[in-house]
Amino acid sequence: MGFTKWIFAGLGWALGGPIGALLGFFLGSSFDTSSTFVGDGSTHHGPYRNTGTQADINAALMVLIAAVMKADGQVKKSELNYVKKFLLQNYGEERGKEMLKVLQQMVQQDIPINQVCVQIKVNTDYNTRYHMVDFLFGLGRADGSFDQTELNMLRLIAQYLGISQSDYISIYERHVGGSYSSNQAFRQSSNQKDPYKVLGITKDATDDEVKKAYRKMAMKYHPDRVAGMSEEMQRNAAEQMKEINEAYEQIKLLRPNIK
């Protein structure tokens, strides 16, 4: 395939475990994949290289991107364009194009998503994983709607990454629109999003609960919380923050007592 190791320079813990195995497959290399898993992969033995960099997070995110892209059995042009923009902005033109080639090959491989997520969970903090899931939802809606298989994959990824149910529902309702259903019934995305759903609350919430929900969401997407992440993840956070602010302003128009 003509890939060279330089495109993965700077990786630490991502060279081990199932992510390292996937990357090593494409490079024809023998990376350190000594970390082992028991049963369904939820328990691991053998330490990862927990000295990672942004390159590790981007490599891990690329594997998750591949899992979401292949979930519905087809790779859409809109999704490729979305990912291409992310790769070029974070790796530069030459390296980004090489990474795109790796991604195009990766979507054809079997990805042990449970084990991959366990590796990510061990080596990243909750805030990073939260914004990974938020970014992946942005990928899912790149073509304007969600496929049920994509939603199922996103739910699994969030679950394996240890994202709380309340945070997952909040992300889901902001990106997909409408109400989250516990039985995962398919819902098309809507351009007219309920501002209360954007803040993760219901219409019967008190004014104080509205303000509390807004502050909580604003804190999650504050620039300081994503300062060390990729430019695309920072941009995604900024877009979500804009949507949160707009929803809050809509609610304030309906509730004059909220200052």
Side-chain angles (χ1 to χ4, degrees):
M1 288 176 282
F3 303 128
T4 52
K5 288 186 178 181
W6 67 267
I7 64 173
F8 292 107
L11 292 182
W13 57 262
L15 291 181
I19 295 177
L22 283 168
L23 298 182
F25 171 82
F26 295 112
L27 298 180
S29 305
S30 297
F31 290 152
D32 177 12
T33 59
S34 59
S35 298
T36 58
F37 293 79
V38 176
D40 64 357
S42 59
T43 303
H44 80 281
H45 300 279
Y48 290 122
R49 301 175 183 176
N50 199 8
T51 56
T53 64
Q54 184 59 52
D56 291 292
I57 295 175
N58 286 345
L61 184 60
M62 188 172 69
V63 175
L64 297 181
I65 287 171
V68 174
M69 289 179 69
K70 64 178 294 183
D72 59 0
Q74 58 180 325
V75 178
K76 302 171 185 175
K77 183 177 180 180
S78 57
E79 293 173 332
L80 275 176
N81 289 337
Y82 185 91
V83 176
K84 182 179 179 180
K85 181 179 178 182
F86 162 73
L87 293 175
L88 293 180
Q89 289 177 336
N90 287 280
Y91 288 99
E93 184 171 359
E94 184 178 7
R95 192 175 180 186
K97 288 181 178 179
E98 288 297 298
M99 295 294 278
L100 186 61
K101 293 178 183 177
V102 173
L103 180 63
Q104 290 172 323
Q105 294 291 329
M106 191 176 292
V107 295
Q108 301 177 31
Q109 307 302 315
D110 291 330
I111 299 175
I113 193 63
N114 188 348
Q115 297 183 11
V116 165
C117 288
V118 169
Q119 183 178 3
I120 296 171
K121 185 177 179 180
V122 168
N123 289 285
T124 59
D125 60 22
Y126 185 87
N127 185 55
T128 297
R129 300 195 302 275
Y130 175 91
H131 283 281
M132 279 183 164
V133 173
D134 193 273
F135 175 85
L136 292 172
F137 264 88
L139 169 65
R141 72 173 183 181
D143 62 349
S145 65
F146 286 86
D147 183 273
Q148 182 62 51
T149 53
E150 290 177 328
L151 290 175
N152 290 341
M153 177 56 68
L154 289 165
R155 178 177 56 82
L156 283 177
I157 289 174
Q159 177 184 334
Y160 293 149
L161 289 180
I163 303 303
S164 70
Q165 183 178 19
S166 60
D167 280 343
Y168 174 74
I169 291 175
S170 174
I171 294 172
Y172 177 101
E173 292 183 341
R174 276 186 293 103
H175 284 279
V176 180
S179 299
Y180 174 81
S181 174
S182 59
N183 63 10
Q184 286 294 284
F186 176 71
R187 296 176 183 271
Q188 291 284 357
S189 60
S190 171
N191 291 326
Q192 300 298 321
K193 295 183 179 179
D194 184 334
Y196 290 96
K197 295 298 182 182
V198 172
L199 297 185
I201 53 178
T202 59
K203 291 183 179 180
D204 59 0
T206 66
D207 289 351
D208 285 341
E209 289 172 336
V210 171
K211 290 187 285 187
K212 182 179 179 180
Y214 170 72
R215 289 194 295 267
K216 181 180 179 181
M217 295 300 297
M219 185 177 297
K220 287 180 179 179
Y221 290 93
H222 191 279
D224 290 345
R225 298 297 300 275
V226 296
M229 300 181 188
S230 67
E231 291 183 8
E232 192 64 19
M233 289 178 71
Q234 291 182 50
R235 187 174 293 104
N236 177 73
E239 291 174 355
Q240 299 310 311
M241 189 67 248
K242 179 181 178 182
E243 190 169 286
I244 291 165
N245 284 330
E246 290 175 350
Y248 188 52
E249 291 302 318
Q250 289 180 45
I251 294 174
K252 286 169 66 177
L253 289 174
L254 300 173
R255 299 187 179 207
N257 291 330
I258 297 180
K259 305 299 183 182

